[in-house]
Amino acid sequence: MRYGHTEGHTDVCFDDAGSCIVTCGSDGDVRIWENLDDDDPKSINVGEKAYSCALKNGRLITAVSNNTVQIHTFPEGAPDGILTRFTMNANHVIFNSDGTKIAAGSSDFMVKVVEVTDSSKQKTFRGHDAPVLSLSFDPRDVYLASASCDGSVRVWKIADQTCTTSWPLLQKCNDVINAKSVCRLGWQPGSGKLLAIPVDKVVKLYRRETWDSEFDLSDTFITQPLNVVAWSPCGQYLAGGSVDGSIVVWNVETQECIERMKHEKKYTICGLAWHPKYRQIAYTDTEGNLGLLENIGDGNKPNDKVTSTVTKDYNDLFDGEDDDYLNGDMIEPQSSPKTGANEDDGDDDDLMPTSGHLRRAIVDDDDNSLDIGMIKANSNLLEKEDEDDDDDQTGGFPALPPSSTQQPFYDGPMPTPKQKPFQSGSTPAHLMHRFMVWNSVGIIRCYNDEQDNAIDIEFHDTSIHHATHLPNSLNHTMADLSTEAVLLACESTEELASKLHCIHFSSWDANKEWTVDMPKDEDIEAICLGQGWAACATSALLVRVFTVGGVQREIFSLPGPVVSMAGHGEQLMIIYHRGTGFDGDQCLGVQLMELGKKKKQILHGDPLSLTKKSYLVWVGFSAEGTPCYVDSEGIVRMLNRGLGNSWIPVCNTREHCKGKSDHYWVVGIHENPQQLRCIPCKGARFPPTLPRPAVAILSFKLPYCQVTTEKGQMEEQYWRSVVFHNHVDYLSKNGYEFDENAKSQSVKEQQELLMKLFALSCKLEREFRCVELADLMTQNVVNLAIKYASRSRRLNLAQRLSEMAVEKASELAAALEDEEEEEDFRKHLNAGYSNSTTEWSRPPVRNVQQDQEMEDAEETDAYEEVEETPEVHKQRPNPFSKGVTSAEVTTPKSVVIASSSQGRVNPFKVSSNKKDPVLPSTNVLDTMSKYSKKTSLSSSRAVNKQNPPVIKPLIPKPKTKQALAASFFQARTPNSSEKTVEEREEKAGNESHEVKVTAQENTENKRPKTGFQMWLEENRANILTDNPDLNEAEVIKEGMSRFRMLSSEERMVWTEKAKGGTVNDLTENKKRKHPATDEDDVKKNQEQKSEDSNLSKKPKPLDQSTNVRLSAFAFKQS
Amino acid sequence: MEPAEAEFLAEKELVTIVPNFSLDRIHLIGGDLGPFNPGLPVEVPVWLAINLKQRQKCRLIPPEWMDVEKLGEIRDQERKEDTFTLMPSPYYMELTKLLLNYASDNIPKADEIRTLVKDTWDTRIAKLRLSADSFVRQQEAHAKLDNLTLMEINTAGTFLTQALDHMYKLRTNLQPGESAHSQDF
């Protein structure tokens, strides 16, 4: 099948000899096709629109939109006068059997019969009450049959223009365009014994003279009304085409179906014509495509078996009828090539290749969206067949008969032509002005017209390189562009080998260019550039890697023909054909490898998921280095490294299109910020070079369910955020630089969404769902969730959550222990080890603004709390988890756990805060959204001074910005001067000298001593005597391990001591603090800054304002 | 007000440019601009667009209305109607002048656009003169003109108000003159 005309009604016929196909269409052209592969058919313009055409004896008559029926000479196409006129356009014109008369049926309800040689001899047939759809001449020239929109099919006697009979067979309608079927009826050639009329899904056959319905031809294959019928020239076969694109051929004598074919796009068949000699049918559809169905009824014999197994219903139909068929008239056209072998041999090249029972399929809709690669693939395919054909013939057989008996009838899925290799971001190579590549670096355009054959290279960022203009003497067709180099490649010509040409403009020596010739018979099919390397895939199924300076590197084989390649950094992605796709699908595979120091393959030729019946149009990497690709249905997919390297659809560009034929041409993908950069193309798949297209930005959207609901929307946002931040993990794992800030931002965003979802589920009484959500949260947000649950009086939920939190904490700790026991120790040392179970009850999540304002209230609060329930805090880290034994809590291990995972608020504690009058059920979201808004709006410190949002039911309890220090387990002594303590903590937490130095209050800062510190002081001497050469850090480390060896009771004692001490003796504390803990801390912190940075609560925030720091911290993962 | 002042105000209008450099968001008194990504369209005020254009740091994307077809329609509409029609931008004249002066290479059919805008402008100024004329002739106390742009008001405003002042003086002088004359008797 191929493109023939613009969409709209079309008609088709063969010329008398069958040497060419003639089509007409709504573009007003009549095209004369030498064969189906004729890429340059002769076009005759006959008018604005051509409705119907007929051809006989060198005369081409057409019904055109100026309401006339015209004659043109054939094949010259010179106008030869007007035969007749109507007041509306004619819908169908036909010749009678000897070509002396034509009949035309028009939308003005009239039918006229005109003598071709003398247009004054006209006969008019009046009687139809609606536009006439179709006509058929009786081969004996006695009758004329016509079908009309009034629902009737009439038979007229030509001699006296009377209506002989009329059947009300069709559905009434008011115009041709509204007719269900154009009802192209047909009189049996030769005798004219039967009149075939397509009526709904059957073909009714009426007997001449009696006008009785003789029988119906039907088939289960036909599911939609039949539009057209056409008799074979021998009169033995009847073909029918339906509005859903099926074509069925019956043997009229036996009433059996000998051929079924489905139009691959299911367009309405509106024209059918039999080849005058061969068993071929040309068909056209309402989208303007022309197709050819060959070897009708071929392999009828073997087919018998095939179809009977497939469709048992036909068993009886096929019984023993084959001989009959083979002896039938149809043999005649078959054997004619034999008799006139010479003549036919010559013809055969022009004719459609006849061997092979094959239906051509090209996937294309219109001129613009037409995929060149496909056409090429197809024409190659055809060429090959032509060759086969010739072979057959040299073998001494005419093409048709042998193949017809050997070829089994096959009605299964049809193989899809493989898509041609392409460069991402390029427009088709046949265009005179085209983009060779448009990517995130720049644009390469290629001009190939009379005056000039040149390449224009332009960079988006002129600081990379200035724009360049190159002559394209080698006729390069492929290009890629990176920040280092331009890579060009051309296919081989007869004299010249295929060449790879690299312009390495970032080279510091004088030679900026190099060229490599491919071996003979090896054509470059796809190229790409990475960082420091270039690669090309060739027709020999090889991938050749070069350094950007031109040194040949790796070379490896591909499992199949390449489709496209993309490079980014050291990653190379190759898409290739894994096999043959069927029914319009492509069968592609993808390899992803890293060509860096450690060479490895990440995707080993996995199947590539494409939308049904689509092909690949773009493949590349996001700016952050995640592989992505786009298919012809506009679905953008991205590699989800977080889910075992699966592909996730992240955007459907077609959803953003206004018109059906509009497309977006993707040029780049960014994950942070989430941007899909593409060029909107109106009514096309790709943009023209002029006027210069502008880039548009689309947002991503994962295809989650029910995104109109709040829940679905947040779920989509959450998972999108997760997917689009996978690259951060990848980058960090591979030792690339990445934006810490963006990472914490994303974590915060995700946790906020989770919390919102949690609150929503709470509102909807979905407690189980709440727990599931909490499972996705980080430790500190779980604490917030517990708090929310308890405040909204969901004790059961709170209980479960706290159990889960403990479990999580222990898992986390276990993981941490495994990985970095060392670091754990140090960290605890820094923090002050003995710290305390009381810390458990401190909520680690802080809402900075609120915290600031609430400080006063909170302080009292905290004070009271600790005062009231000191033992409880000591014994029970979490008031909810009654199941957690005190022993467990007090073991050093569990302290470790607590430390790494941070403390937890007492969720039951109702704040006695007078400033906090809001009901517990108030939504946590209010605070959150305000909070995030503020932080984003301004990073100025002043924000801190602003009044807090009124609603605080969920405001984390007495948390201060310094709470980060809680991770270091500072004992929060019930202390009237808590504020100063906090200052201290901040200092520790910030790990910042500056803060320490500048903080005036430092001098008065009191640092509560932890049990471990006290113990350490007492035992330092011991340690030093044992290991005199230890430095400070090692002393502490050693101390740590020794302390751990103490029994839990002993440690408790120390802890108690520490508490008592701080509470009772502030001044002592103050004195001790400075020399010992403080300095230690600072030192330790400096030493271990790097290791701690990801564990500590706090990123180094020196250059940031407090607000930003704190907000970043608020949702920071432990 | 001077035309230069009107033009200054027009420079606050936003236009889209495609920068060829990379710059993070810039914070200005009038608001944040950017971020600038090479190849990615971004909206900036005209003054910045012109500045960048002069330094060849960007490519300008003309406003939607700066299109031969649309301006042709506007001109025809303006000619057809007796009253003033609504202009696509309150600073159409200033923007056309500025953008065509500095970025004509990025605007397709710049000359035609210049002509069309000039035609529209002439039509409107003629209407304005006509209405001022009838205003004075009929000695109206007040008149209302819709859809005038700042620049148009300024072209007519200064002269018209001064002229009205003079006329007022002349008219009021008429009476005291007469009375003085009578005193001579």
Side-chain angles (χ1 to χ4, degrees):
Chain A
M1 201 181 70
R2 63 165 300 141
Y3 170 79
H5 293 271
T6 55
E7 60 192 67
H9 184 80
T10 48
D11 203 358
V12 62
C13 53
F14 279 98
D15 75 339
D16 297 339
S19 59
C20 54
I21 309 170
V22 178
T23 59
C24 71
S26 55
D27 48 7
D29 284 347
V30 170
R31 301 217 161 96
I32 301 162
W33 310 78
E34 300 271 304
N35 55 47
L36 195 61
D37 310 323
D38 187 353
D39 284 331
D40 189 23
K42 184 171 176 194
S43 265
I44 307 168
N45 189 279
V46 295
E48 244 173 64
K49 265 186 173 187
Y51 293 95
S52 179
C53 64
L55 178 63
K56 210 154 219 163
N57 300 342
R59 291 195 184 92
L60 173 71
I61 53 166
T62 49
V64 290
S65 56
N66 60 0
N67 306 342
T68 60
V69 175
Q70 304 173 328
I71 306 187
H72 288 80
T73 57
F74 182 85
E76 297 79 25
D80 196 15
I82 290 171
L83 263 185
T84 185
R85 287 176 199 273
F86 292 91
T87 52
M88 299 267 282
N89 62 280
N91 291 316
H92 197 192
V93 288
I94 48 167
F95 271 106
N96 69 350
S97 50
D98 56 7
T100 52
K101 286 183 226 167
I102 63 111
S106 147
S107 285
D108 64 3
F109 312 176
M110 298 232 271
V111 176
K112 283 185 186 171
V113 171
V114 188
E115 297 229 343
V116 177
T117 46
D118 183 1
S119 61
S120 61
K121 288 185 183 161
Q122 295 197 359
K123 285 180 175 156
T124 311
F125 299 75
R126 294 168 207 265
H128 278 299
D129 302 324
V132 179
L133 288 168
S134 304
L135 298 167
S136 179
F137 255 118
D138 169 17
R140 294 196 214 157
D141 262 358
V142 180
Y143 297 109
L144 175 72
S146 66
S148 158
C149 288
D150 62 10
S152 65
V153 174
R154 288 169 188 246
V155 177
W156 312 82
K157 205 160 195 160
I158 298 172
D160 50 10
Q161 297 145 54
T162 52
C163 176
T164 308
T165 185
S166 167
W167 300 283
L169 291 172
L170 312 174
Q171 262 191 0
K172 289 189 181 180
C173 57
N174 57 4
D175 200 359
V176 182
I177 47 165
N178 299 321
K180 257 201 174 157
S181 148
V182 296
C183 195
R184 292 272 191 263
L185 63 183
W187 227 297
Q188 189 172 28
S191 62
K193 208 173 76 180
L194 294 167
L195 173 64
I197 307 169
V199 179
D200 199 32
K201 290 169 203 163
V202 300
V203 181
K204 286 188 178 290
L205 288 124
Y206 287 85
R207 180 167 284 280
R208 187 190 180 90
E209 305 296 354
T210 67
W211 312 120
D212 293 330
S213 173
E214 182 94 346
F215 54 87
D216 291 352
L217 291 174
S218 63
D219 193 88
T220 48
F221 189 67
I222 302 168
T223 54
Q224 292 286 315
L226 287 166
N227 211 24
V228 200
V229 295
W231 287 89
S232 67
C234 62
Q236 195 179 4
Y237 303 98
L238 183 67
S242 77
V243 297
D244 68 345
S246 21
I247 296 178
V248 178
V249 182
W250 292 274
N251 181 336
V252 178
E253 214 129 286
T254 61
Q255 299 175 28
E256 76 180 63
C257 175
I258 57 165
E259 177 82 30
R260 302 180 186 90
M261 178 272 193
K262 189 84 178 169
H263 189 298
E264 79 215 25
K265 293 243 172 156
K266 301 193 176 159
Y267 295 146
T268 301
I269 306 290
C270 59
L272 272 182
W274 284 77
H275 191 275
K277 287 185 194 135
Y278 301 139
R279 295 180 303 172
Q280 292 177 344
I281 297 179
Y283 61 90
T284 54
D285 62 41
T286 51
E287 298 293 321
N289 297 312
L290 166 67
L292 195 64
L293 190 58
E294 290 165 82
N295 301 351
I296 311 295
D298 252 1
N300 198 17
K301 216 161 190 168
N303 172 28
D304 201 4
K305 238 183 262 161
V306 177
T307 38
S308 61
T309 51
V310 176
T311 47
K312 295 219 158 81
D313 298 354
Y314 296 116
N315 274 349
D316 49 338
L317 285 178
F318 284 90
D319 262 347
E321 310 277 23
D322 310 292
D323 294 349
D324 216 309
Y325 160 71
L326 285 172
N327 297 333
D329 286 3
M330 202 58 188
I331 293 294
E332 205 173 82
Q334 280 178 20
S335 49
S336 66
K338 276 186 203 161
T339 54
N342 288 342
E343 168 191 315
D344 275 313
D345 256 88
D347 273 355
D348 222 309
D349 286 335
D350 295 333
L351 284 171
M352 309 77 218
T354 43
S355 80
H357 187 271
L358 145 136
R359 287 147 210 145
R360 274 65 180 274
I362 307 171
V363 193
D364 59 1
D365 316 0
D366 61 334
D367 219 359
N368 198 331
S369 70
L370 164 135
D371 186 71
I372 297 312
M374 293 273 193
I375 287 186
K376 270 197 191 154
N378 207 48
S379 54
N380 285 349
L381 216 77
L382 296 180
E383 273 161 35
K384 255 177 217 153
E385 267 150 27
D386 274 335
E387 285 162 26
D388 293 352
D389 216 337
D390 292 336
D391 293 348
D392 274 352
Q393 288 189 342
T394 50
F397 288 103
L400 280 165
S403 58
S404 70
T405 47
Q406 283 155 12
Q407 285 275 335
F409 177 80
Y410 178 63
D411 199 19
M414 282 298 157
T416 321
K418 288 179 176 177
Q419 84 172 103
K420 274 264 150 186
F422 67 93
Q423 290 297 116
S424 290
S426 69
T427 54
H430 70 282
L431 299 173
M432 286 208 297
H433 294 192
R434 63 181 285 243
F435 290 111
M436 290 177 97
V437 65
W438 182 322
N439 62 19
S440 53
V441 178
I443 303 168
I444 302 183
R445 272 168 305 198
C446 176
Y447 301 98
N448 188 7
D449 44 28
E450 301 84 44
Q451 331 147 358
D452 206 7
N453 187 358
I455 293 174
D456 253 353
I457 304 167
E458 189 185 314
F459 294 84
H460 293 315
D461 191 340
T462 41
S463 60
I464 296 174
H465 195 255
H466 57 80
T468 317
H469 184 86
L470 306 170
N472 187 12
S473 49
L474 287 169
N475 210 359
H476 291 300
T477 53
M478 290 159 266
D480 198 7
L481 181 63
S482 78
T483 50
E484 301 173 315
V486 177
L487 191 64
L488 299 162
C490 60
E491 283 168 0
S492 62
T493 58
E494 289 192 356
E495 308 98 55
L496 294 169
S498 182
K499 274 193 175 66
L500 188 68
H501 181 194
C502 180
I503 303 162
H504 180 211
F505 53 77
S506 68
S507 161
W508 43 261
D509 67 9
N511 282 322
K512 306 275 189 203
E513 296 188 28
W514 54 270
T515 310
V516 175
D517 281 6
M518 292 297 123
K520 202 170 168 287
D521 298 330
E522 197 174 323
D523 267 350
I524 297 175
E525 298 195 311
I527 56 175
C528 72
L529 275 170
Q531 197 176 355
W533 54 268
C536 68
T538 66
S539 55
L541 302 189
L542 282 177
V543 175
R544 300 171 179 273
V545 184
F546 302 83
T547 64
V548 76
V551 180
Q552 301 201 39
R553 273 176 63 182
E554 294 83 357
I555 177 165
F556 57 91
S557 280
L558 273 181
V562 70
V563 177
S564 196
M565 294 206 297
H568 180 278
E570 48 193 40
Q571 299 179 86
L572 167 64
M573 176 159 60
I574 309 163
I575 313 271
Y576 60 90
H577 286 289
R578 281 170 62 233
T580 306
F582 286 91
D583 279 349
D585 297 336
Q586 296 288 335
C587 179
L588 306 181
V590 56
Q591 285 191 350
L592 179 64
M593 35 188 42
E594 286 178 6
L595 300 170
K597 289 258 152 47
K598 256 189 263 160
K599 297 188 172 58
K600 58 182 174 186
Q601 194 166 356
I602 293 159
L603 296 177
H604 306 263
D606 305 3
L608 193 74
S609 16
L610 288 174
T611 318
K612 263 209 149 310
K613 298 201 190 298
S614 69
Y615 50 94
L616 195 69
V617 295
W618 188 88
V619 48
F621 289 86
S622 72
E624 286 77 9
T626 309
C628 306
Y629 65 89
V630 184
D631 64 29
S632 57
E633 293 297 309
I635 310 289
V636 184
R637 288 188 180 79
M638 178 182 260
L639 189 72
N640 186 355
R641 299 196 205 258
L643 186 64
N645 288 337
S646 53
W647 296 94
I648 179 168
V650 291
C651 184
N652 183 354
T653 59
R654 297 306 299 274
E655 275 178 11
H656 299 265
C657 294
K658 285 188 198 93
K660 197 181 142 207
S661 52
D662 293 354
H663 292 85
Y664 279 98
W665 194 65
V666 175
V667 296
I669 291 175
H670 288 239
E671 291 179 77
N672 184 33
Q674 293 177 18
Q675 290 179 336
L676 177 64
R677 299 184 182 180
C678 44
I679 293 168
C681 308
K682 247 205 167 110
R685 280 197 176 274
F686 48 82
T689 50
L690 282 172
R692 201 189 155 101
V695 179
I697 290 173
L698 296 185
S699 55
F700 293 104
K701 190 173 153 205
L702 306 191
Y704 272 78
C705 301
Q706 291 183 313
V707 283
T708 46
T709 67
E710 207 181 342
K711 171 175 168 281
Q713 205 178 340
M714 286 193 286
E715 283 164 346
E716 192 267 340
Q717 280 176 18
Y718 172 72
W719 288 109
R720 179 150 46 90
S721 174
V722 170
V723 168
F724 278 87
H725 288 92
N726 278 336
H727 70 271
V728 178
D729 294 335
Y730 173 77
L731 291 178
S732 61
K733 213 189 293 168
N734 285 270
Y736 287 105
E737 267 180 28
F738 65 99
D739 190 356
E740 274 282 353
N741 224 12
K743 189 186 175 185
S744 61
Q745 202 69 34
S746 77
V747 171
K748 193 180 126 208
E749 180 196 342
Q750 288 160 21
Q751 296 302 324
E752 262 178 40
L753 282 165
L754 281 179
M755 200 59 221
K756 284 181 194 173
L757 272 170
F758 179 88
L760 188 70
S761 308
C762 253
K763 239 190 235 163
L764 300 172
E765 311 271 323
R766 292 275 189 181
E767 301 203 354
F768 190 86
R769 204 180 272 170
C770 287
V771 176
E772 288 171 328
L773 286 167
D775 202 35
L776 297 168
M777 295 177 183
T778 58
Q779 191 73 36
N780 21 10
V781 182
V782 171
N783 292 325
L784 196 63
I786 294 174
K787 193 151 189 177
Y788 183 87
S790 59
R791 289 265 167 104
S792 48
R793 306 199 195 292
R794 293 176 202 283
L795 300 190
N796 185 24
L797 175 62
Q799 165 96 43
R800 282 183 186 280
L801 287 180
S802 55
E803 277 165 21
M804 199 185 74
V806 171
E807 226 168 78
K808 256 193 171 179
S810 56
E811 270 168 32
L812 199 73
L816 270 184
E817 291 252 312
D818 290 349
E819 279 173 28
E820 25 196 354
E821 226 171 335
E822 276 296 274
E823 283 187 9
D824 253 3
F825 283 174
R826 290 183 199 170
K827 195 163 145 232
H828 299 148
L829 264 189
N830 291 341
Y833 182 70
S834 66
N835 208 349
S836 58
T837 41
T838 35
E839 277 309 303
W840 276 98
S841 65
R842 308 225 50 117
V845 180
R846 287 107 215 162
N847 262 333
V848 181
Q849 276 85 19
Q850 290 89 346
D851 291 343
Q852 292 272 327
E853 279 78 27
M854 290 182 68
E855 238 168 42
D856 291 356
E858 285 164 3
E859 277 162 21
T860 30
D861 225 79
Y863 183 72
E864 278 161 22
E865 187 187 4
V866 178
E867 286 273 85
E868 277 159 27
T869 59
E871 322 71 23
V872 175
H873 284 298
K874 272 179 246 155
Q875 299 296 329
R876 288 204 315 232
N878 184 333
F880 286 119
S881 53
K882 301 220 162 75
V884 181
T885 64
S886 55
E888 186 190 328
V889 173
T890 46
T891 54
K893 190 154 185 180
S894 67
V895 175
V896 169
I897 291 161
S899 69
S900 55
S901 59
Q902 305 171 340
R904 187 169 307 121
V905 185
N906 176 353
F908 278 139
K909 186 169 173 309
V910 179
S911 132
S912 53
N913 194 341
K914 300 118 231 151
K915 286 186 197 165
D916 185 7
V918 188
L919 294 178
S921 58
T922 323
N923 197 337
V924 67
L925 308 186
D926 308 44
T927 33
M928 289 190 105
S929 54
K930 264 182 194 141
Y931 164 57
S932 55
K933 199 157 132 212
K934 266 190 202 161
T935 48
S936 62
L937 269 180
S938 161
S939 52
S940 95
R941 267 171 185 276
V943 174
N944 285 342
K945 301 277 159 12
Q946 282 170 9
N947 282 331
V950 196
I951 313 118
K952 312 177 182 162
L954 295 169
I955 284 163
K957 237 208 62 181
K959 260 335 110 222
T960 64
K961 53 182 171 176
Q962 293 80 4
L964 45 108
S967 57
F968 300 112
F969 273 61
Q970 313 296 2
R972 301 273 287 179
T973 8
N975 189 331
S976 53
S977 58
E978 173 136 356
K979 182 142 189 181
T980 56
V981 174
E982 284 164 2
E983 303 267 0
R984 267 296 308 143
E985 286 171 353
E986 175 180 25
K987 189 174 73 177
N990 285 344
E991 306 168 353
S992 144
H993 272 307
E994 272 160 74
V995 174
K996 182 179 145 206
V997 173
T998 53
Q1000 268 274 333
E1001 299 88 339
N1002 251 358
T1003 45
E1004 328 139 21
N1005 276 350
K1006 269 117 215 166
R1007 192 203 183 89
K1009 287 211 110 187
T1010 63
F1012 171 67
Q1013 286 162 345
M1014 294 179 73
W1015 177 87
L1016 184 63
E1017 264 166 62
E1018 300 221 343
N1019 291 280
R1020 178 184 292 268
N1022 292 346
I1023 296 169
L1024 281 174
T1025 44
D1026 289 355
N1027 308 287
D1029 47 358
L1030 285 184
N1031 65 22
E1032 188 67 3
E1034 282 161 335
V1035 168
I1036 292 169
K1037 208 157 104 189
E1038 176 67 15
M1040 186 71 114
S1041 50
R1042 288 191 190 199
F1043 186 71
R1044 293 186 113 213
M1045 278 148 68
L1046 298 178
S1047 73
S1048 57
E1049 286 82 4
E1050 282 172 291
R1051 270 174 296 183
M1052 272 318 275
V1053 171
W1054 281 104
T1055 315
E1056 294 284 1
K1057 235 192 210 170
K1059 284 215 178 84
T1062 41
V1063 174
N1064 297 336
D1065 195 342
L1066 287 171
T1067 44
E1068 188 191 338
N1069 223 346
K1070 184 173 159 191
K1071 276 185 233 145
R1072 273 184 306 185
K1073 181 206 73 187
H1074 271 281
T1077 49
D1078 191 13
E1079 271 174 31
D1080 281 0
D1081 276 357
V1082 173
K1083 249 186 236 161
K1084 281 318 71 79
N1085 283 336
Q1086 283 174 312
E1087 278 172 32
Q1088 289 144 27
K1089 224 176 204 170
S1090 55
E1091 294 135 312
D1092 282 355
S1093 57
N1094 35 357
L1095 295 167
S1096 71
K1097 296 292 138 238
K1098 191 99 186 160
K1100 279 126 271 175
L1102 289 181
D1103 53 346
Q1104 292 165 318
S1105 78
T1106 331
N1107 201 9
V1108 165
R1109 276 184 277 146
L1110 291 174
S1111 60
F1113 161 67
F1115 277 98
K1116 187 116 204 232
Q1117 235 162 344
S1118 51
Chain B
M1 200 194 286
E2 298 276 305
E5 286 174 89
E7 192 178 272
F8 177 76
L9 292 177
E11 286 183 353
K12 263 194 189 164
E13 289 288 286
L14 294 181
V15 289
T16 311
I17 59 161
V18 180
N20 61 17
F21 60 95
S22 186
L23 187 68
D24 211 4
R25 193 177 282 276
I26 49 176
H27 307 282
L28 304 175
I29 298 175
D32 292 353
L33 294 177
F36 299 90
N37 289 306
L40 212 56
V42 62
E43 283 211 329
V44 295
V46 172
W47 59 264
L48 182 61
I50 288 173
N51 183 289
L52 291 174
K53 180 71 199 170
Q54 282 177 321
R55 290 189 285 148
Q56 300 191 330
K57 289 282 187 197
C58 77
R59 195 161 54 78
L60 188 114
I61 296 180
E64 213 172 302
W65 54 267
M66 205 174 277
D67 171 79
V68 172
E69 222 165 87
K70 288 205 177 88
L71 286 173
E73 278 170 33
I74 289 168
R75 182 196 58 184
D76 295 344
Q77 182 75 9
E78 188 66 55
R79 284 180 176 170
K80 213 166 62 190
E81 286 191 22
D82 288 337
T83 53
F84 294 94
T85 53
L86 185 65
M87 285 289 107
S89 157
Y91 300 105
Y92 76 100
M93 191 63 196
E94 299 92 309
L95 289 183
T96 311
K97 187 167 166 266
L98 286 170
L99 299 185
L100 288 181
N101 273 357
Y102 295 106
S104 55
D105 51 330
N106 294 144
I107 301 172
K109 303 188 185 164
D111 290 339
E112 277 178 61
I113 287 172
R114 202 190 295 271
T115 320
L116 283 168
V117 171
K118 188 81 172 76
D119 284 354
T120 315
W121 168 265
D122 288 345
T123 316
R124 290 171 71 91
I125 294 299
K127 276 185 195 176
L128 189 60
R129 249 186 252 124
L130 211 67
S131 80
D133 181 51
S134 66
F135 176 76
V136 173
R137 243 177 238 277
Q138 294 167 24
Q139 306 220 343
E140 294 287 346
H142 61 87
K144 184 180 163 191
L145 295 175
D146 283 339
N147 296 332
L148 272 182
T149 64
L150 190 61
M151 189 65 118
E152 288 157 354
I153 294 170
N154 283 320
T155 41
T158 339
F159 175 73
L160 183 63
T161 45
Q162 277 177 6
L164 288 174
D165 276 347
H166 281 300
M167 283 165 65
Y168 175 75
K169 271 183 208 153
L170 291 173
R171 284 202 186 111
T172 46
N173 275 343
L174 223 54
Q175 272 95 35
E178 273 167 13
S179 58
H181 189 69
S182 65
Q183 273 173 358
D184 286 348
F185 286 98

